Amino acid sequence: MHLVENLHRNVRTLAMPGAMIVGALLCRPVTALEEWSGRMITPTLIFLMLFVTFCRVSLRDMRLSWLHGWLLFFQTGVCVAVYLALRPFDVTVAQGAMICVLTPVAMAAVVIAGMLGAKVATVAAYSLVCNLTVAVVAPVVLNFTGSGACTFGQILVRLGPLLIGPFAAAQVCRFLLPRLAGWVGAHGQISFYMWLAALVVTLGRTTAFILDLHDVSRLVGVWLVVAALILCLVQFGVGRALGRRFGDPVAGGQSLGQKNTVLAVWMAQSFLDPISSVAPAAYIVWQNFVNSYQIYKKDQA
């Protein structure tokens, strides 16, 4: 049993970097497979792994707290501040940096937070309220910083199925089939391997997207990648600091630092200078390096 636990720990430590490398190397076939599926592979995997995680979460456990309020205040306020600070330097870099802050927490943050020992209900509650808040705020911010064509409905259509669906399905399962829900919740490690598969697809699509960019200035591209790195580290750090004040640094870090980068790339390409989407594309890589390091430290503890 001890040998199996050590093997699982070693697999978890190396799995995320390995999945990122596989996705990057196989970017063309992975992208082709995702297109062939109608871009349904990643949403399906996210739905299933959230269902597994939410089977452990009761609706009664999901309470809003001051932590959620501070996280939302940072996210909605700093995104505008970052844009205004960087706009005199370069508008495209300012847009890319802004979208890295505005983007809501990734649905999968609930899964990673659970692996790292956070209170899953805290992150789940923030996931719901944050995504709904961004659906309201994003059209205003994007109209101010971009093309002015974004609407509440466009954002909500992208978020709704993966925001409400798995949570509702899990709660129905908990009510009607409690033994099944208990079994699913007890085997929550399944969600980690689903996340790895989703990560391969996401990195594959991201790599193919970057390789196909031909009209981006090399200097602007470098600044977008650097901005994404700095903002990734800042948001994980600030989130952990806020979470520590409320007794759960991991929940705070994942809630603020782990972003729905697929949505971010779409918003940047649809309503901003499309080149600005290099920043959220790079953020995908940086946040998963941070997650890999956190899992490594957790397994070594």
Side-chain angles (χ1 to χ4, degrees), residues 23 52 67 98 103 112 120 153 155 175-176 179 203 213 241-242 251 271 274:
V52 171
L67 171 61
M98 178 274 296
T103 304
I112 303 299
V120 174
I155 303 293
F175 180 73
L176 297 179
R179 293 182 62 181
L203 259 294
L213 281 176
L242 289 172
F271 309 111

Short mmCIF file of all heavy atoms in Angstrom, two decimals, residues 23 52 67 98 103 112 120 153 155 175-176 179 203 213 241-242 251 271 274:
data_model
loop_
_atom_site.label_atom_id
_atom_site.label_comp_id
_atom_site.label_asym_id
_atom_site.label_seq_id
_atom_site.Cartn_x
_atom_site.Cartn_y
_atom_site.Cartn_z
N GLY A 23 1.21 17.88 -24.85
CA GLY A 23 0.31 18.77 -25.59
C GLY A 23 1.05 19.65 -26.57
O GLY A 23 0.61 19.85 -27.70
N VAL A 52 -17.51 15.14 -10.42
CA VAL A 52 -16.86 14.30 -9.41
C VAL A 52 -16.56 15.11 -8.16
O VAL A 52 -16.82 14.68 -7.03
CB VAL A 52 -15.57 13.68 -9.98
CG1 VAL A 52 -14.77 12.98 -8.87
CG2 VAL A 52 -15.90 12.68 -11.08
N LEU A 67 -13.76 36.87 2.41
CA LEU A 67 -12.68 36.48 1.49
C LEU A 67 -13.14 36.62 0.05
O LEU A 67 -12.42 37.17 -0.80
CB LEU A 67 -12.25 35.03 1.77
CG LEU A 67 -11.28 34.42 0.74
CD1 LEU A 67 -9.99 35.21 0.68
CD2 LEU A 67 -11.00 32.95 1.09
N MET A 98 -4.65 43.19 -18.87
CA MET A 98 -5.98 43.40 -18.27
C MET A 98 -6.80 42.12 -18.29
O MET A 98 -7.43 41.75 -17.30
CB MET A 98 -6.70 44.51 -19.03
CG MET A 98 -8.11 44.83 -18.55
SD MET A 98 -9.38 43.78 -19.31
CE MET A 98 -9.25 44.25 -21.03
N THR A 103 -10.33 37.88 -16.20
CA THR A 103 -10.86 36.54 -16.45
C THR A 103 -11.25 35.84 -15.15
O THR A 103 -10.49 35.87 -14.18
CB THR A 103 -9.81 35.69 -17.18
OG1 THR A 103 -9.43 36.37 -18.37
CG2 THR A 103 -10.37 34.33 -17.54
N ILE A 112 -8.15 21.34 -8.37
CA ILE A 112 -6.77 21.50 -7.90
C ILE A 112 -6.75 21.92 -6.43
O ILE A 112 -5.93 21.44 -5.65
CB ILE A 112 -6.02 22.54 -8.77
CG1 ILE A 112 -6.05 22.13 -10.24
CG2 ILE A 112 -4.59 22.69 -8.29
CD1 ILE A 112 -5.40 20.81 -10.54
N VAL A 120 -13.00 22.81 -0.30
CA VAL A 120 -13.57 22.78 -1.65
C VAL A 120 -14.80 23.69 -1.73
O VAL A 120 -15.00 24.37 -2.74
CB VAL A 120 -13.93 21.33 -2.04
CG1 VAL A 120 -14.66 21.30 -3.38
CG2 VAL A 120 -12.67 20.49 -2.12
N GLY A 153 -25.00 38.54 -22.52
CA GLY A 153 -25.44 37.24 -23.03
C GLY A 153 -24.32 36.44 -23.65
O GLY A 153 -24.25 35.22 -23.49
N ILE A 155 -21.14 36.44 -22.88
CA ILE A 155 -20.29 35.87 -21.83
C ILE A 155 -21.01 34.74 -21.11
O ILE A 155 -20.45 33.66 -20.86
CB ILE A 155 -19.87 36.95 -20.81
CG1 ILE A 155 -19.15 38.10 -21.52
CG2 ILE A 155 -19.01 36.36 -19.72
CD1 ILE A 155 -17.82 37.76 -22.09
N PHE A 175 -28.96 13.88 -3.86
CA PHE A 175 -30.31 13.78 -3.30
C PHE A 175 -30.99 12.46 -3.68
O PHE A 175 -31.60 11.80 -2.84
CB PHE A 175 -31.15 14.96 -3.77
CG PHE A 175 -32.55 14.96 -3.25
CD1 PHE A 175 -32.82 15.26 -1.91
CD2 PHE A 175 -33.62 14.65 -4.08
CE1 PHE A 175 -34.12 15.26 -1.42
CE2 PHE A 175 -34.92 14.63 -3.60
CZ PHE A 175 -35.18 14.93 -2.27
N LEU A 176 -30.88 12.07 -4.96
CA LEU A 176 -31.60 10.89 -5.45
C LEU A 176 -30.79 9.61 -5.34
O LEU A 176 -31.36 8.52 -5.12
CB LEU A 176 -32.01 11.10 -6.92
CG LEU A 176 -32.98 12.26 -7.20
CD1 LEU A 176 -33.27 12.36 -8.69
CD2 LEU A 176 -34.29 12.06 -6.42
N ARG A 179 -25.77 6.95 -2.44
CA ARG A 179 -24.69 5.97 -2.41
C ARG A 179 -23.76 6.14 -3.61
O ARG A 179 -22.54 6.04 -3.47
CB ARG A 179 -25.27 4.55 -2.39
CG ARG A 179 -26.03 4.23 -1.09
CD ARG A 179 -26.53 2.81 -1.08
NE ARG A 179 -25.44 1.84 -1.14
CZ ARG A 179 -25.63 0.52 -1.16
NH1 ARG A 179 -26.88 0.02 -1.14
NH2 ARG A 179 -24.60 -0.30 -1.19
N LEU A 203 -3.09 22.76 -23.93
CA LEU A 203 -1.74 23.15 -24.32
C LEU A 203 -1.50 22.90 -25.81
O LEU A 203 -0.78 23.66 -26.47
CB LEU A 203 -0.72 22.39 -23.48
CG LEU A 203 -0.11 23.19 -22.31
CD1 LEU A 203 0.75 24.34 -22.82
CD2 LEU A 203 -1.19 23.71 -21.38
N LEU A 213 0.62 32.46 -35.31
CA LEU A 213 0.65 33.92 -35.28
C LEU A 213 1.85 34.41 -36.10
O LEU A 213 3.00 34.15 -35.75
CB LEU A 213 0.77 34.43 -33.84
CG LEU A 213 -0.50 34.44 -33.00
CD1 LEU A 213 -0.17 34.87 -31.57
CD2 LEU A 213 -1.54 35.38 -33.59
N ALA A 241 -2.27 35.37 0.27
CA ALA A 241 -2.19 36.30 1.40
C ALA A 241 -3.58 36.62 1.95
O ALA A 241 -3.80 36.63 3.17
CB ALA A 241 -1.48 37.59 0.97
N LEU A 242 -4.53 36.87 1.06
CA LEU A 242 -5.90 37.12 1.49
C LEU A 242 -6.50 35.87 2.14
O LEU A 242 -7.17 35.96 3.18
CB LEU A 242 -6.76 37.56 0.30
CG LEU A 242 -6.48 38.96 -0.27
CD1 LEU A 242 -7.26 39.17 -1.56
CD2 LEU A 242 -6.86 40.03 0.75
N ALA A 251 -7.14 28.10 -0.85
CA ALA A 251 -8.40 28.50 -1.49
C ALA A 251 -8.28 29.89 -2.09
O ALA A 251 -8.73 30.16 -3.21
CB ALA A 251 -9.55 28.45 -0.49
N PHE A 271 -12.95 40.67 -28.75
CA PHE A 271 -13.30 42.04 -28.40
C PHE A 271 -12.11 42.97 -28.22
O PHE A 271 -12.30 44.17 -27.97
CB PHE A 271 -14.15 42.05 -27.12
CG PHE A 271 -15.31 41.10 -27.16
CD1 PHE A 271 -15.34 39.97 -26.37
CD2 PHE A 271 -16.37 41.32 -28.04
CE1 PHE A 271 -16.42 39.08 -26.42
CE2 PHE A 271 -17.44 40.44 -28.10
CZ PHE A 271 -17.46 39.32 -27.29
N PRO A 274 -6.56 41.02 -31.34
CA PRO A 274 -6.36 39.57 -31.25
C PRO A 274 -4.97 39.17 -30.78
O PRO A 274 -4.80 38.13 -30.13
CB PRO A 274 -6.61 39.09 -32.68
CG PRO A 274 -7.52 40.12 -33.26
CD PRO A 274 -7.10 41.43 -32.65
#
